[in-house]
Amino acid sequence: MRFDYDTSYRDGQALLRYGSGRAAYAVLALLLLAAPWALGKYYVGEMTYLFIMCIGSLGLMVLKGYTGQVSLGHSAFLALGAYAHAWMLGKGLPFALSIPMAMGFTALIGLVIGLPAIRVSGLYLAMVTLAFAILTEHVIGHWDAVTGGFNGMSVANPVVFGFDLSGLRPFYYLCLGLLTLVLLGLVNLMRSQTGRAFRGVRDSEAAAYGLGIWVSGYKVLAFVISAGVSGLAGALLAHHVRFLTPEGFGLFLALELVLMVTIGGLGSLRGAIFGAVLIGMLPVFISRIKPMLPEQVSKQFGLEIFVFGLILVLFVLFEPKGINGRWIKLKTFFQTFPLYRKDLFKRGKTYMKSERYK
Amino acid sequence: MTTVIQLTINGMAIGAIYALVALGLVLTYKATEVLNFIHGDLLMASSFIGWGLIVVLKWPFWLAVLATVAIAMVFSWVLDARVMRLIVGQPQFAGVMLTIGIAFTLRGLVSMSFGPESRNYPTPWTNQKTQLGGVVIADLSLVIVATALLVTLALFWFLRRTTLGVAIQAASQNQLAAFLSGIRVKRLTSLVWALTGGIAALCGLLLAPTALVDISLWFVMIKALAAVVLGGFGSIPGAILGGLLLGVIEQFAGVYLPDGYKDAVAYLVLIGVLVLWPRGLLGDAHGRRV
């Protein structure tokens, strides 16, 4: 077992306190850097997709996991980021300028959607965002002049300072780099005053208010940050798919994102990554096992939805803390080896917040 | 003038379906505080079951309707007693996630077993029309409105006038007090789920002949959500009113607003009402408690 024993202020502030953690992340970084040279083309593309999904999932985690605001329509922000980016590239803006502008645009929309969030919360907010996602898909489908409507819209290649990054490996490194940046930024944000305020708002709005936290301000701020990060994911996704159609950003994507954060474990950035990797890999995995299934089942397209639903149900029922919760339990098991008790993480009694009359 | 009447009547027919779906949503919400996302998919699955019974097995229409409703009711009862009960006491959103998960599973199962093709089945009223003072109405629409009316009245009578109904109301207001007065709260919750399941099956069977038996039928649930919100969340008369109103609004939007607004207007209503007027038409005012 390890006990924290600080010998300087820097110990408490370090991102990774121990040599073992630093070594583990260094190995991970080396593996990720070497991966495109060792893996086949198909897998490099898939990993790039996973990185993009990780960014999207991180974006939703800020909102849902850290401020407790449920959004069932985050696909809309991805769509807005993707289309804004593709449109600006089409107008001849350079990639390095277009990405931040697309992020800014989505963040602005996030502000507009976040403002009503002061008035509605919980289920109501979930419904507002759901309706917003459907509306966005609808508008994109019908605004032919800008978005190409249902015919779709092609995306220009990413060119940074004269280098074409559309190749498989350069784009892989671009996504990896941006994911690292986003992750580091969010890790630090969540350790800061802002992050603590977010968690305060999540756990008890009244208590946060009583402590002088500007509740509505932080709620909207979470929306803005979340939308901006999702916009970045959308812009990268635009390059990954190369051809944008409204169907690509439908409700299914929104629910995939919700699945990622829920299965990963709400309230942890590591969980967002875990969830995105698992859910992002699932389609590949399913297409792999399809040949082994009876033809009647494998021919149908519903298999994917079925597996998604089943995984979600099992996680909600048996591991509400998600993969991250399981990870922490495993870690504690090994760290405290002979001393681990089965009910160490047993949930205390929780009571549903009720709207009933009392 | 005739156009306006015609549009209103068409809108009422569509709105009656929205109202029925909304009614089911409100019932489970009132009784268990779970926003039941399974509702739309159960509706879709029932229409497939109905198609299977009527077209494939050649059952008579009424027998098929009864059987489908019964299947949906048993399914919902078991779902509540075996699955939903496991998460009682967890945060409200756990219920939403669980129902979304089950809805996905159901949708996947249906599309795996039936495939992506759309289907249709005959009803006793297919392709029949009635003339009412210069307005042409499809008989199917009349049946839909009549069923909606009948179900609402029956439910109203059941909840107000029978001991069981009053017990359900009591349990939905305060579970502990109801339990202490000798009401079997768990069984009643399952009963409400079964009722909702039956309503969903009825909606599916009525909606499928006007649209088509298709996976995308579940989408009517999101329209019904808009109806629930418009009427005031958690109010049964509100759900009915909201549903009918939404149907009429959609019809008028289809004619008087530019192309493409018809499908979007329900979501605009949903967002608009929630943001500007969260109480809805007939909602109860309740402040949020800490």
Side-chain angles (χ1 to χ4, degrees), chain A residues 32 36-37 41 43-53 55 85 89 95 99 155-160 163-179 232-242:
Chain A
L32 287 178
W37 307 96
K41 269 187 176 172
Y43 289 100
V44 177
E46 279 304 313
M47 283 188 72
T48 314
Y49 176 70
L50 285 186
F51 293 152
I52 298 171
M53 280 298 117
I55 299 178
H85 181 60
L89 280 185
F95 178 84
I99 284 264
V155 184
N157 283 341
V159 179
V160 181
F163 296 102
D164 188 353
L165 295 182
S166 62
L168 216 48
R169 280 175 193 151
F171 190 57
Y172 173 93
Y173 287 119
L174 176 71
C175 290
L176 180 60
L178 285 174
L179 171 63
L232 174 64
L236 291 175
L237 194 61
H239 287 302
H240 182 72
V241 298
R242 281 158 195 244

Side-chain angles (χ1 to χ4, degrees), chain A residues 253-334:
Chain A
L253 179 66
L255 289 172
E256 257 185 309
L257 286 167
V258 175
L259 226 67
M260 285 172 192
V261 292
T262 315
I263 287 176
L266 289 176
S268 81
L269 296 174
R270 192 192 290 126
I273 303 277
F274 278 152
V277 170
L278 181 76
I279 296 297
M281 281 194 325
L282 212 52
V284 181
F285 181 67
I286 290 175
S287 65
R288 270 295 147 90
I289 61 165
K290 256 186 183 172
M292 290 173 231
L293 294 171
E295 197 176 339
Q296 194 112 41
V297 178
S298 60
K299 233 174 32 192
Q300 310 296 352
F301 72 106
L303 185 64
E304 207 166 290
I305 304 178
F306 175 74
V307 175
F308 273 40
L310 204 62
I311 289 183
L312 181 58
V313 170
L314 293 178
F315 264 99
V316 172
L317 288 181
F318 301 114
E319 187 59 278
K321 294 260 183 271
I323 305 174
N324 188 49
R326 187 50 56 185
W327 167 262
I328 290 173
K329 282 174 198 167
L330 262 180
K331 223 163 106 178
T332 324
F333 177 79
F334 284 111

Side-chain angles (χ1 to χ4, degrees), chain A residues 136-147:
Chain A
T136 308
E137 198 191 336
H138 204 79
V139 169
I140 288 174
H142 285 266
W143 198 7
D144 295 353
V146 174
T147 64

Side-chain angles (χ1 to χ4, degrees), chain B residues 78-94:
Chain B
V78 173
L79 200 64
D80 177 62
R82 291 274 168 259
V83 183
M84 293 309 293
R85 192 159 297 160
L86 296 176
I87 58 149
V88 165
Q90 282 188 35
Q92 198 174 30
F93 203 67

